[in-house]
Amino acid sequence: MTLYATTSHTVGPYYHIGLTWLNREDLTVAETLGERVAISGQVLDGNGDVVNDAMLEVWQANAAGKYDHPEDEQDKALDPNFEGFGRVPVDAEGRFRFTTIKPGSVPGLKGTTQAPHLVVLVFARGLVKHLLTRIYFDGEALNGDDPLLACVPAERRGTLIAKADAQGVHQWNVILQGTDKETVFFDY
């Protein structure tokens, strides 16, 4: 018997079918605790062309630094008005925008502390599996001590940092490949 490799399947654009009801561009409700932040950007490919069928999933801790997950056993308050999850599709120009709260810091490995961050999964046509990255906040005091951010070469860290514009909206783009500005993606 001879074995043959099977074809690869991509993660998109099929995720639109039956999943749009999960889209949530505002992760907050009026009662959610914490500082509200808006994050806006664009998904681009390595040539700088827009990726108009991408979707971002956002996972994060609440303002106290606790995840709404049974494995988070920290002795911190759980906000009943915040799930810490959102799914955001891009528009025809590859743009996205979502509103959330700035998360608190969470524990890292071996007693370290992670800076406030959002975990982002990127789905798009042509990707064999989704990509994992993070959004950190410009000017955050704990960025310098974050163990994962410290693993990223200094010249690449900027791809993970959202910077507030004049209106207070944090700007952060996803660049899928090809340039020195490519977003840093992590293995998991």
Side-chain angles (χ1 to χ4, degrees), residues 15-25 55 85 87 89:
Y15 54 77
H16 288 291
I17 301 170
L19 295 179
T20 54
W21 67 275
L22 290 170
N23 291 351
R24 198 162 126 199
E25 296 172 2
M55 178 184 66
F85 171 79
R87 179 174 281 151

Side-chain angles (χ1 to χ4, degrees), residues 122-185:
V122 180
F123 298 83
R125 171 186 28 162
L127 297 177
V128 177
K129 71 177 199 174
H130 55 272
L131 302 171
L132 173 70
T133 190
R134 285 186 173 193
I135 301 173
Y136 290 89
F137 297 90
D138 190 37
E140 174 60 47
L142 292 174
N143 284 352
D145 297 324
D146 185 272
L148 189 59
L149 201 53
C151 292
V152 176
E155 65 275 7
R156 303 278 324 279
R157 290 181 195 149
T159 70
L160 302 174
I161 309 271
K163 297 180 180 180
D165 64 16
Q167 290 76 37
V169 176
H170 290 76
Q171 300 296 318
W172 178 78
N173 292 322
V174 177
I175 300 175
L176 294 178
Q177 66 182 24
T179 70
D180 58 345
K181 298 193 185 312
E182 176 183 334
T183 301
V184 171
F185 298 105

Side-chain angles (χ1 to χ4, degrees), residues 69-74:
H69 193 279
E71 290 184 21
D72 187 340
E73 298 176 349
Q74 297 179 83

Side-chain angles (χ1 to χ4, degrees), residues 48-129:
D49 296 327
V50 300
V51 177
N52 61 7
D53 68 344
M55 178 184 66
L56 307 179
E57 275 190 1
V58 180
W59 297 86
Q60 69 173 90
N62 66 20
K66 184 170 178 73
Y67 289 98
D68 187 5
H69 193 279
E71 290 184 21
D72 187 340
E73 298 176 349
Q74 297 179 83
D75 188 23
K76 293 180 180 177
L78 189 62
D79 183 348
N81 299 302
F82 187 72
E83 296 176 355
F85 171 79
R87 179 174 281 151
V88 184
V90 300
D91 66 14
E93 297 301 316
R95 293 180 304 235
F96 62 87
R97 181 182 170 117
F98 63 93
T99 302
T100 188
I101 52 101
K102 186 174 180 183
S105 60
V106 296
L109 296 174
K110 300 180 182 177
T112 60
T113 300
Q114 297 181 60
H117 66 275
L118 311 177
V119 176
V120 179
L121 299 176
V122 180
F123 298 83
R125 171 186 28 162
L127 297 177
V128 177
K129 71 177 199 174

